[in-house]
Amino acid sequence: MAKKSVNNDSPNAVKSKAKGSSSTAESTEPQLAEKTDYSRWRLLDDQGRQTWHYLGDADEAKKWPQSTADKYFLGLPTGLPILPTAKSPKESILNCLEFFSQLQLPPGNWACEYSGPMFLLPGLVITWYVTETQYPEAFKVEIRNYLFARQNPDNGGWGLHVEGESTVFGTAMNYVVLRLIGVSEEDPRMVKARGTLHKLGGAVNGPHWAKFWLSVLGVSKWELVNPVPPELWLLPDWVPIAPWRWWIHMRQVFLPMSFIASKGFSYPPNPLTLQLRKELYTEPYETINFLSHRNSISPRDNFHPKTWFLNSINWALVNIWYPYLRPKSIVDRAEQWTWELIQREDENTDFSNLGPVNAPMNLLACYIHDGPDSYSVRRHRERLNDFLWVNNEGMLMNGTNGVQTWDTAFLIQAVVEAGLADSPRWKPMLQKALEFLEDQQIRENCKEQEKCYRQRSKGAWAFSTKAQSYTVSDCTSEALKAVIQLQNIHGYPTLISDQRLEDAIDTLLTMQNPSGGFSSYEPTRGSEYLEYLNAAEVFGRIMVEYDYPECTTAVVTALSIFSEHYPKYRTEDIREVKSNALSYIRRAQLKDGSWYGSWGICFTYATMFAVESLASIGATYENDEMVKKACQFLLDKQMDDGGWGESYKSCETGIYTHHKQSQVVHTAWACISLMNAKYPDKAPIQKALKLIVGRQQANGEWLQEAIEGVFNKSCMITYPNYKFIFPIKALGMFTHIYGDGVSDWD
């Protein structure tokens, strides 16, 4: 039997429907402006949906004045006043709120960039390019500026994230972005980047996702990409490797990726892509045996090497299934089913999608299936702007469409902890924040929930907005706590009814794992052995949901505060869930007394949450050996200046690694742990908090320091509002426990 071609150059491969692909315009674009006029950028927040707009002229700018928040995000002078120097924890809190309250947006939430990953913009810009989506010149200018600002000064490359070393993934993909938006290959910065890429072996040494996007763009062949067969979606649900068992981000990326790859979409060659074929590789494009490089990867990118099991499956797919056994009827069924699931994802999120990786892929899938002028394509183009952000360095792509609900819930709790919920000065701010949480609660389950394998969402809160629509256990829990604190404890208007709070509890009670722990979006559905199929290479712990001390603590504390005010609702269910969750927290403690953090850096972050869980049942330094051990772990890590600072390397290695300097956020986390544990000596806590207050700026803010967050062990991400929220909480706890006497503070 003759082999069937799976090459993207075959006549059966789907080509772009875009017009003018043979034009030479791409290679002769006019040079981009040096910088946009930052006084013309505006952030629009429409019920939490955040989009940046570049105004056309001075008249438009006059009609839509720049807000204090706009100026702050852009790095412009805010004009906020210099405040009296704080001489006590309470004064520091008030100074911070004088500043931070000015950043609250009209719907009641706080916004911020959610940056760090350097692989997000490439998927967006490549999708824009191959679908011939028009986007403003100002976007191109500031994307270029951001990428050059984040270029590794030593070798000109880019990493997986902003603080990481240069990799093929980061360097090849961001090099391509710069070329697509009009930067010359002869720009000295591009020459330097290309040199680093070639030293790393060229684009053939990129990970799976890089090879996918380069094949979509038509600057590599699909033979380079290990298989992503949509047929996997036809597996019965009982099969242990069925995709519905995977972690939600993995399956929602694999879904459109498999559809696009099966269609063989590849953008037709034009002068620019032909030139890129010359620039990305260390040998002539025509001589490269792309098939032989399916498993080639730079050691710097190979965080999670493919297993022999996955390599064997890929070999069988490439050499047996695709050329000899893959019937068209099966392919058609698989493509139809994956397309139907893509449609459900789009409809259930109003085309905002789960995140910034699958959103561009879903746009491309709609472009292939529905055509360039379809509603689905137009709506996707609009929604992709939700992920873009402008800061003082330029335009970047956020890790989600924002952190609106998450940060707003935490801020409410911090102000309550500081004893200011009843202050006439701060009540209007908190009232607006409560109104935002009321608006963002998800009121119904998504359409065809079971069919598209979605978790129950009625009563939940998402990480960002209700339009995004994905239940998250800790976001729901933190929002629920914030609402109860304001409505039930401090007498704020009852915007969210008892029934809606019960809906949230009902959803949380569906999310516990058999271990007692809680995951993020849904309970664990598959075995950890599915990591043998981890094809991403650059990430760890990506195939299934895991137990997280952070999520588990959020749920435990939410159930506790709910039960205090609603003691008759599902009493036994809540008691059992809490008991099992706390058992998990105890089992998850490591030998050194810490807990490993999966969403923040790292041991400092997770230990804060775990100690809070144990404190909720009265466990303290004096009466509980595990809490005592946790405190000792933290005290052993306190730095000479009184602060704490943990490097992101801890996340990668699983071993605590000091940052070169203490960090305000990490210091606040450690202090919160010690105070929740009722550590008997206030001296180390006071020393640490004095460091925090000492770094506070004259206008009440704290400056951004090292990156705070992480996902999948290897990729770091920023939470810029943490530098306001957690110092407020830590200082507030100190004031509550020890008082606010200036002489005592001194």
Side-chain angles (χ1 to χ4, degrees):
M1 182 185 293
K3 287 191 176 184
K4 301 175 186 175
S5 173
V6 295
N7 188 320
N8 73 327
D9 295 328
S10 76
N12 296 322
V14 175
K15 299 295 182 179
S16 168
K17 302 173 185 176
K19 299 177 181 179
S21 60
S22 62
S23 169
T24 61
E26 293 88 342
S27 60
T28 58
E29 284 188 359
Q31 190 172 10
L32 295 173
E34 189 66 27
K35 190 173 177 64
T36 61
D37 179 355
Y38 263 39
S39 71
R40 286 160 54 186
W41 284 103
R42 302 290 186 274
L43 177 67
L44 177 64
D45 190 324
D46 181 9
Q47 289 188 287
R49 184 190 178 196
Q50 299 165 173
T51 51
W52 282 95
H53 302 264
Y54 190 64
L55 305 185
D57 53 37
D59 287 340
E60 281 190 63
K62 188 175 181 180
K63 293 175 184 176
W64 184 359
Q66 206 165 41
S67 70
T68 299
D70 293 338
K71 295 173 184 176
Y72 174 73
F73 298 139
L74 295 165
L76 300 175
T78 61
L80 293 177
I82 301 300
L83 302 170
T85 302
K87 296 180 180 179
S88 71
K90 189 68 168 287
E91 290 178 4
S92 179
I93 293 168
L94 293 174
N95 282 357
C96 175
L97 287 175
E98 289 290 348
F99 180 87
F100 196 49
S101 63
Q102 298 300 312
L103 306 185
Q104 188 177 29
L105 299 177
N109 62 295
W110 280 264
C112 65
E113 67 178 83
Y114 188 47
S115 64
M118 293 302 295
F119 59 88
L120 301 177
L121 271 174
L124 172 68
V125 174
I126 289 172
T127 300
W128 276 345
Y129 191 83
V130 302
T131 60
E132 297 207 342
T133 296
Q134 299 299 311
Y135 54 103
E137 189 78 2
F139 284 24
K140 296 181 182 180
V141 170
E142 295 305 338
I143 287 172
R144 178 206 59 195
N145 290 346
Y146 178 76
L147 291 181
F148 280 142
R150 286 298 176 174
Q151 190 173 26
N152 188 315
D154 296 327
N155 56 38
W158 292 268
L160 180 67
H161 57 87
V162 292
E163 293 189 8
E165 64 180 355
S166 297
T167 61
V168 173
F169 195 12
T171 304
M173 299 304 289
N174 288 297
Y175 180 94
V176 166
V177 169
L178 289 165
R179 293 289 283 119
L180 294 182
I181 62 176
V183 178
S184 168
E185 73 273 25
E186 298 305 323
D187 185 301
R189 295 164 294 186
M190 299 292 279
V191 173
K192 191 174 184 179
R194 197 161 61 245
T196 291
L197 176 60
H198 288 180
K199 287 177 183 177
L200 293 171
V204 293
N205 277 351
H208 187 255
W209 290 10
K211 292 170 178 175
F212 167 83
W213 282 118
L214 295 177
S215 298
V216 165
L217 183 59
V219 296
S220 74
K221 296 182 179 181
W222 278 106
E223 294 170 355
L224 183 65
V225 185
N226 268 312
V228 280
E231 295 93 299
L232 273 176
W233 288 92
L234 298 179
L235 291 173
D237 287 351
W238 57 263
V239 175
I241 65 169
W244 77 277
R245 299 180 183 276
W246 303 356
W247 185 45
I248 186 65
H249 279 280
M250 189 62 178
R251 70 175 185 261
Q252 291 294 35
V253 168
F254 181 84
L255 178 67
M257 182 183 282
S258 65
F259 178 84
I260 294 163
S262 187
K263 291 294 187 181
F265 179 94
S266 184
Y267 192 67
N270 63 30
L272 178 55
T273 58
L274 290 173
Q275 180 62 29
L276 276 169
R277 291 180 179 183
K278 298 177 182 178
E279 297 168 20
L280 294 172
Y281 304 103
T282 59
E283 60 181 294
Y285 182 87
E286 296 76 14
T287 67
I288 299 173
N289 181 350
F290 284 96
L291 185 62
S292 71
H293 285 292
R294 285 187 302 107
N295 296 315
S296 299
I297 186 168
S298 163
R300 289 194 189 176
D301 292 78
N302 204 16
F303 180 79
H304 185 99
K306 293 188 295 296
T307 61
W308 65 267
F309 182 63
L310 179 59
N311 284 333
S312 298
I313 291 174
N314 285 336
W315 183 92
L317 289 170
V318 168
N319 293 287
I320 300 174
W321 176 251
Y322 274 90
Y324 297 118
L325 301 178
R326 194 183 190 217
K328 186 177 183 304
S329 60
I330 294 287
V331 174
D332 290 345
R333 279 182 57 209
E335 290 179 356
Q336 180 56 39
W337 178 231
T338 52
W339 168 246
E340 191 170 337
L341 292 175
I342 290 168
Q343 287 180 296
R344 294 291 83 75
E345 163 74 352
D346 287 345
E347 291 170 5
N348 282 322
T349 63
D350 189 19
F351 294 85
S352 64
N353 299 133
L354 175 64
V357 179
N358 76 315
M361 291 183 185
N362 277 25
L363 164 56
L364 181 54
C366 290
Y367 183 88
I368 294 168
H369 188 278
D370 292 345
D373 300 320
S374 62
Y375 171 79
S376 62
V377 169
R378 296 196 308 272
R379 186 60 174 153
H380 266 301
R381 285 169 169 157
E382 295 169 1
R383 277 299 202 175
L384 283 173
N385 291 332
D386 299 9
F387 296 102
L388 295 171
W389 190 266
V390 186
N391 67 10
N392 64 316
E393 294 176 326
M395 177 171 273
L396 55 94
M397 195 171 191
N398 278 337
T400 61
N401 62 337
V403 295
Q404 298 88 317
T405 294
W406 181 247
D407 279 0
T408 301
F410 267 141
L411 186 278
I412 291 172
Q413 293 179 51
V415 177
V416 169
E417 191 72 56
L420 298 172
D422 298 319
S423 166
R425 173 70 181 88
W426 306 114
K427 262 194 153 182
M429 176 188 77
L430 294 177
Q431 177 66 32
K432 286 293 293 181
L434 176 61
E435 290 170 6
F436 179 77
L437 293 184
E438 187 279 327
D439 182 61
Q440 293 302 317
Q441 188 182 24
I442 302 168
R443 304 292 295 277
E444 298 294 338
N445 292 320
C446 70
K447 182 180 178 181
E448 297 185 281
Q449 175 182 315
E450 292 79 14
K451 184 175 184 178
C452 49
Y453 307 110
R454 286 281 299 271
Q455 179 68 19
R456 172 192 159 103
S457 55
K458 184 178 182 180
W461 278 269
F463 185 64
S464 55
T465 65
K466 66 181 177 184
Q468 192 260 7
S469 83
Y470 276 88
T471 299
V472 187
S473 64
D474 53 357
C475 300
T476 300
S477 299
E478 301 298 351
L480 180 67
K481 289 189 311 191
V483 170
I484 292 175
Q485 285 176 337
L486 292 184
Q487 291 187 171
N488 297 67
I489 299 175
H490 292 280
Y492 281 63
T494 303
L495 303 183
I496 299 178
S497 67
D498 292 353
Q499 179 61 59
R500 289 170 62 181
L501 296 178
E502 291 169 1
D503 288 341
I505 292 296
D506 290 344
T507 291
L508 288 175
L509 293 179
T510 69
M511 299 185 75
Q512 189 169 40
N513 291 321
S515 63
F518 282 79
S519 305
S520 52
Y521 293 89
E522 57 203 13
T524 302
R525 296 175 172 182
S527 165
E528 188 172 353
Y529 287 115
L530 278 169
E531 293 295 347
Y532 280 98
L533 299 179
N534 181 351
E537 299 163 313
V538 294
F539 306 118
R541 289 166 63 91
I542 195 173
M543 288 301 297
V544 295
E545 282 275 19
Y546 289 88
D547 296 317
Y548 303 115
E550 307 100 300
C551 296
T552 305
T553 291
V555 176
V556 165
T557 52
L559 294 176
S560 294
I561 192 172
F562 176 84
S563 293
E564 289 174 14
H565 296 277
Y566 302 91
K568 296 182 179 180
Y569 189 74
R570 300 191 66 173
T571 307
E572 286 304 310
D573 291 337
I574 290 173
R575 184 199 60 77
E576 183 179 357
V577 165
K578 282 181 60 179
S579 175
N580 292 335
L582 288 161
S583 295
Y584 155 73
I585 289 287
R586 290 190 178 278
R587 291 196 310 274
Q589 188 178 34
L590 302 173
K591 290 182 179 179
D592 62 5
S594 69
W595 285 262
Y596 179 86
S598 296
W599 304 107
I601 298 173
C602 170
F603 299 98
T604 315
Y605 182 71
T607 299
M608 173 184 68
F609 281 94
V611 169
E612 184 183 5
S613 265
L614 297 174
S616 74
I617 57 168
T620 69
Y621 179 87
E622 297 289 358
N623 66 22
D624 191 285
E625 283 300 314
M626 298 189 83
V627 175
K628 188 172 187 177
K629 196 173 182 181
C631 291
Q632 193 57 54
F633 166 82
L634 291 170
L635 292 168
D636 289 345
K637 301 298 185 287
Q638 190 170 22
M639 302 173 81
D640 291 341
D641 63 3
W644 278 263
E646 188 176 359
S647 167
Y648 75 81
K649 290 292 184 181
S650 295
C651 305
E652 295 180 343
T653 64
I655 300 169
Y656 187 97
T657 305
H658 278 288
H659 197 279
K660 60 184 178 182
Q661 64 184 36
S662 59
Q663 304 289 308
V664 164
V665 172
H666 298 169
T667 301
W669 291 344
C671 289
I672 291 167
S673 294
L674 294 172
M675 288 185 283
N676 272 326
K678 297 185 178 178
Y679 182 69
D681 182 3
K682 78 172 183 180
I685 302 170
Q686 184 166 299
K687 184 178 181 181
L689 293 179
K690 283 184 175 180
L691 177 141
I692 290 177
V693 174
R695 291 192 190 171
Q696 191 171 27
Q697 303 300 296
N699 62 1
E701 71 171 314
W702 280 276
L703 300 180
Q704 185 65 27
E705 296 179 334
I707 206 160
E708 304 92 346
V710 62
F711 59 90
N712 300 122
K713 298 187 72 171
S714 61
C715 194
M716 309 306 134
I717 195 161
T718 59
Y719 287 84
N721 287 336
Y722 279 7
K723 64 180 177 285
F724 302 105
I725 293 166
F726 288 104
I728 291 173
K729 181 173 182 177
L731 291 163
M733 291 176 70
F734 186 89
T735 301
H736 177 74
I737 296 167
Y738 298 107
D740 194 48
V742 175
S743 60
D744 186 57
W745 175 252
D746 292 338

